[in-house]
Coordinates of all heavy atoms in Angstrom, one line a residue:
L1 N 2.7 -6.5 -6.6 CA 1.3 -6.2 -6.5 C 1.1 -4.9 -5.9 O 1.6 -4.6 -4.8 CB 0.5 -7.3 -5.7 CG 0.5 -8.7 -6.3 CD1 -0.1 -9.7 -5.3 CD2 -0.4 -8.7 -7.6
I2 N 0.3 -4.0 -6.6 CA 0.1 -2.7 -6.1 C -1.2 -2.2 -6.5 O -1.8 -2.7 -7.5 CB 1.3 -1.7 -6.6 CG1 1.2 -0.4 -6.0 CG2 1.2 -1.6 -8.1 CD1 2.4 0.5 -6.3
G3 N -1.8 -1.2 -5.8 CA -3.0 -0.6 -6.2 C -4.2 -1.3 -5.5 O -4.1 -2.3 -4.8
N4 N -5.4 -0.7 -5.7 CA -6.6 -1.2 -5.1 C -6.5 -1.2 -3.6 O -5.7 -0.4 -3.0 CB -6.9 -2.6 -5.6 CG -7.2 -2.6 -7.1 OD1 -6.6 -1.9 -7.8 ND2 -8.1 -3.5 -7.5
K5 N -7.3 -2.0 -2.9 CA -7.3 -2.1 -1.5 C -7.0 -3.5 -1.0 O -7.2 -4.5 -1.7 CB -8.6 -1.6 -0.9 CG -8.8 -0.1 -1.2 CD -10.1 0.4 -0.4 CE -11.3 0.0 -1.1 NZ -12.5 0.6 -0.5
L6 N -6.5 -3.6 0.2 CA -6.2 -5.0 0.7 C -7.4 -5.7 1.2 O -7.6 -6.9 0.8 CB -5.2 -4.8 1.9 CG -4.9 -6.1 2.7 CD1 -4.1 -7.0 1.9 CD2 -4.1 -5.7 4.0
V17 N -11.8 1.9 -10.6 CA -10.4 2.0 -10.5 C -9.9 1.0 -9.4 O -8.9 0.2 -9.6 CB -9.9 3.4 -10.1 CG1 -8.4 3.5 -9.9 CG2 -10.4 4.4 -11.1
Y18 N -10.6 0.9 -8.3 CA -10.1 0.1 -7.2 C -10.3 -1.4 -7.5 O -9.5 -2.2 -7.2 CB -10.9 0.4 -5.9 CG -10.5 1.7 -5.3 CD1 -11.5 2.7 -5.0 CD2 -9.2 2.1 -5.1 CE1 -11.2 3.9 -4.4 CE2 -8.9 3.3 -4.6 CZ -9.9 4.2 -4.2 OH -9.6 5.4 -3.7
K20 N -11.4 -5.3 -7.4 CA -11.5 -6.3 -6.3 C -10.3 -6.1 -5.3 O -9.2 -5.6 -5.6 CB -11.4 -7.7 -6.9 CG -12.6 -8.0 -7.8 CD -13.9 -8.1 -7.0 CE -15.1 -8.5 -7.8 NZ -16.3 -8.5 -7.0
S21 N -10.6 -6.5 -4.1 CA -9.6 -6.4 -3.0 C -8.5 -7.3 -3.3 O -8.6 -8.3 -4.0 CB -10.2 -6.7 -1.7 OG -10.5 -8.1 -1.6
L22 N -7.3 -7.1 -2.7 CA -6.2 -8.0 -2.9 C -6.4 -9.4 -2.4 O -6.1 -10.4 -3.0 CB -4.9 -7.4 -2.3 CG -3.6 -8.2 -2.4 CD1 -3.3 -8.5 -3.8 CD2 -2.5 -7.5 -1.6
R25 N -8.4 -11.4 -4.9 CA -7.8 -11.6 -6.2 C -6.4 -12.2 -6.1 O -5.7 -12.5 -7.2 CB -7.7 -10.4 -7.1 CG -6.9 -9.2 -6.5 CD -7.0 -7.9 -7.3 NE -6.5 -6.8 -6.6 CZ -5.2 -6.4 -6.6 NH1 -4.4 -7.0 -7.4 NH2 -4.8 -5.3 -6.0
K47 N 2.8 -3.8 -2.1 CA 2.6 -2.4 -1.5 C 1.2 -2.1 -1.6 O 0.6 -1.9 -2.6 CB 3.4 -1.4 -2.3 CG 3.3 0.0 -1.8 CD 4.1 1.0 -2.7 CE 4.0 2.4 -2.1 NZ 2.7 2.9 -2.0
I48 N 0.5 -2.1 -0.4 CA -0.9 -1.8 -0.4 C -1.3 -1.4 1.0 O -0.5 -1.5 2.0 CB -1.7 -3.1 -0.8 CG1 -3.1 -2.8 -1.3 CG2 -1.7 -4.1 0.4 CD1 -3.7 -3.9 -2.1
G49 N -2.5 -0.7 1.1 CA -3.0 -0.4 2.4 C -3.4 1.1 2.6 O -4.3 1.4 3.4
E51 N -5.1 3.1 0.5 CA -6.4 3.3 0.1 C -7.4 2.7 1.1 O -8.6 3.2 1.2 CB -6.7 2.8 -1.3 CG -5.9 3.6 -2.4 CD -6.3 5.1 -2.5 OE1 -7.3 5.5 -1.8 OE2 -5.6 5.8 -3.2
D52 N -7.1 1.6 1.8 CA -7.9 1.1 2.8 C -8.2 2.2 3.9 O -9.3 2.2 4.4 CB -7.2 -0.1 3.5 CG -7.2 -1.3 2.6 OD1 -6.3 -1.4 1.7 OD2 -8.1 -2.2 2.8

Side-chain angles (χ1 to χ4, degrees):
L1 293 169
I2 188 170
N4 297 34
K5 294 188 283 186
L6 174 65
V17 177
Y18 291 128
K20 296 293 184 181
S21 72
L22 178 57
R25 62 186 167 89
K47 180 184 184 297
I48 204 160
E51 294 298 350
D52 288 81

